[in-house]
Amino acid sequence: MSEIPPLPPVDQTVREMETPSEAWRKAALQGEPTPERHAALRQQAACLNTVRLVPADAPALRAERPRVVAWNLERCKHVEETAAVLRREQADICLLTEMDLGMARSGNRDTTGDLARLLGMGHVYGTEFIELGHGDFREQALHGGTPNRDGLHGNAVLARFPIDRALVLPLDNDGFWFWNKDAGDQRRIGGRIAIAVRLLLPQPVWVVSVHYESRLGPPERSEETKVLLAHLDRLTGSEPVLIGGDFNCKGLQEEGVEGEALLTRPETVEPMFARLREAGFDWRTCNTSNLTTRNHAWTIEEYRAFKKIDWFFARGVECRAPAVIPAVDAKGRNISDHEAIAVTLALPAT
């Protein structure tokens, strides 16, 4: 990670996200791609400095055993099929990553808003990146001829319950995907984020949807965790916290950590786990040792592997019945390259 200090939390909520125009996005591609230019563009973009909060029409006011699902939805290209899985799993709270807003590759849909409406949930959406292209090479080939309507990609939290607070927590500030030649054709403005939401169940519980950087290694993930925990320490006090998402902790698979060792000694390879343990977070009761990635038929050979990179971490709340849910629709077709993970929270009666 860069030595640039992380950005402060984004706490200005809006009902409608102000998205950058196509002309603005095209202009952003002009000129020299430097860290300084990235910082200026990031400052200009309202969508990177606000968080969208849309409450449920009729939120549930109490839940003693809410079911939480965390899922990297790989752009959320299959909204209706995803809703069917979450409905079947009786999800009450969804911590979602890789959610497109106005991207050609996902039908230029507001994937978070559409999914929330289908499930009758309120939602929070935060922008991770303004996408200046159409995605990876396969997405470029399939959708490069269709303009992106809004060009946003981010994280979301969906919930049946009242949303008391919502913030975007920036995890980096180096602009790598904009200025570094290794970013290739996936030019982007922004950086990795977490979304922290204080829900009233009716007692307050914080839920956090996290997406770590994919290009880094164990030391950098430990630094991302340090940044995340610093944000949460300032926000949450002694209130319960559940973190869930895609931590991209590929060091576990690369070093051959598997089976029960994934739960009992992940910190020997990925020091992020030691940081979380020291901060009072547990992972053993809210995860299984099952792997959480899924290959597509078109996955190229060098990436054709199964990993456990999606996790829950809990502090101050009891977790039960952890599960890994296959990312397939009713016909057995892939709807993401990540499986969903789920856990039930056991909250004290009030």
Side-chain angles (χ1 to χ4, degrees):
M1 289 179 68
S2 165
E3 295 298 322
I4 301 172
L7 293 165
V10 175
D11 60 1
Q12 181 182 346
T13 60
V14 294
R15 284 290 295 253
E16 295 290 339
M17 187 71 76
E18 182 180 335
T19 60
S21 67
E22 184 178 5
W24 189 93
R25 284 179 273 126
K26 285 182 177 179
L29 285 169
Q30 307 305 310
E32 188 68 20
T34 63
E36 294 75 19
R37 178 159 167 73
H38 175 266
L41 290 167
R42 186 167 190 162
Q43 184 70 22
Q44 293 172 17
C47 62
L48 291 171
N49 297 287
T50 55
V51 55
R52 186 174 74 183
L53 192 167
V54 179
D57 290 335
L61 299 180
R62 181 176 298 276
E64 293 182 7
R65 298 290 185 270
R67 189 69 168 163
V68 185
V69 173
W71 202 353
N72 178 324
L73 278 166
E74 194 194 5
R75 332 298 202 190
C76 197
K77 298 175 181 178
H78 308 280
V79 174
E80 285 73 19
E81 294 85 350
T82 298
V85 172
L86 293 170
R87 195 178 295 114
R88 183 196 69 206
E89 296 298 323
Q90 299 182 310
D92 298 301
I93 301 164
C94 306
L95 311 181
L96 306 178
T97 52
E98 290 206 22
M99 300 296 289
D100 278 351
L101 197 168
M103 288 291 296
R105 64 195 179 192
S106 49
N108 270 320
R109 299 179 68 167
D110 174 0
T111 62
T112 300
D114 290 351
L115 187 59
R117 280 188 289 274
L118 286 168
L119 295 170
M121 293 184 175
H123 77 267
V124 174
Y125 180 82
T127 306
E128 182 177 66
F129 293 113
I130 300 170
E131 300 278 357
L132 301 179
H134 284 75
D136 63 30
F137 292 117
R138 184 172 183 273
E139 290 164 337
Q140 292 169 38
L142 291 172
H143 307 289
T146 303
N148 295 324
R149 188 192 68 202
D150 303 300
L152 303 189
H153 186 63
N155 294 12
V157 172
L158 277 57
R160 301 193 186 283
F161 310 105
I163 298 170
D164 180 60
R165 292 187 68 189
L167 305 94
V168 170
L169 310 179
L171 301 178
D172 67 52
N173 188 24
D174 62 7
F176 168 89
W177 290 98
F178 179 76
W179 55 261
N180 194 295
K181 60 182 176 60
D182 291 338
D185 291 331
Q186 293 197 67
R187 296 279 300 283
R188 299 159 154 175
I189 299 166
R192 302 298 181 180
I193 63 170
I195 294 182
V197 174
R198 189 177 191 257
L199 298 175
L200 303 179
L201 306 181
Q203 63 269 60
V205 175
W206 287 89
V207 296
V208 187
S209 174
V210 174
H211 194 193
Y212 277 11
E213 177 53 55
S214 59
R215 63 186 166 87
L216 301 178
E220 293 85 4
R221 282 188 285 277
S222 180
E223 287 303 304
E224 283 180 288
T225 304
K226 179 180 177 180
V227 172
L228 174 64
L229 291 172
H231 282 309
L232 293 179
D233 284 348
R234 288 188 288 267
L235 276 178
T236 63
S238 61
E239 293 176 335
V241 183
L242 180 72
I243 304 170
D246 175 5
F247 291 85
N248 270 309
C249 44
K250 294 173 284 189
L252 298 169
Q253 181 252 340
E254 291 166 354
E255 294 298 322
V257 179
E258 57 187 18
E260 285 304 305
L262 287 165
L263 300 181
T264 59
R265 55 179 183 87
E267 66 269 36
T268 61
V269 173
E270 288 278 358
M272 57 170 270
F273 286 87
R275 283 196 186 273
L276 284 153
R277 184 185 61 236
E278 290 163 6
F281 285 91
D282 173 66
W283 62 84
R284 297 186 189 187
T285 62
C286 45
N287 296 279
T288 75
S289 59
N290 294 339
L291 304 182
T292 63
T293 59
R294 169 173 290 269
N295 291 324
H296 290 304
W298 56 83
T299 304
I300 62 176
E301 195 60 37
E302 64 181 294
Y303 295 115
R304 187 168 286 279
F306 296 99
K307 312 176 188 71
K308 184 168 184 60
I309 58 179
D310 305 273
W311 292 81
F312 283 116
F313 300 92
R315 183 174 71 189
V317 61
E318 183 182 349
C319 295
R320 298 178 181 174
V324 173
I325 301 160
V328 295
D329 65 13
K331 296 182 178 179
R333 298 172 297 193
N334 288 11
I335 54 178
S336 177
D337 58 355
H338 288 243
E339 317 288 28
I341 59 174
V343 72
T344 296
L345 303 185
L347 302 175
T350 58

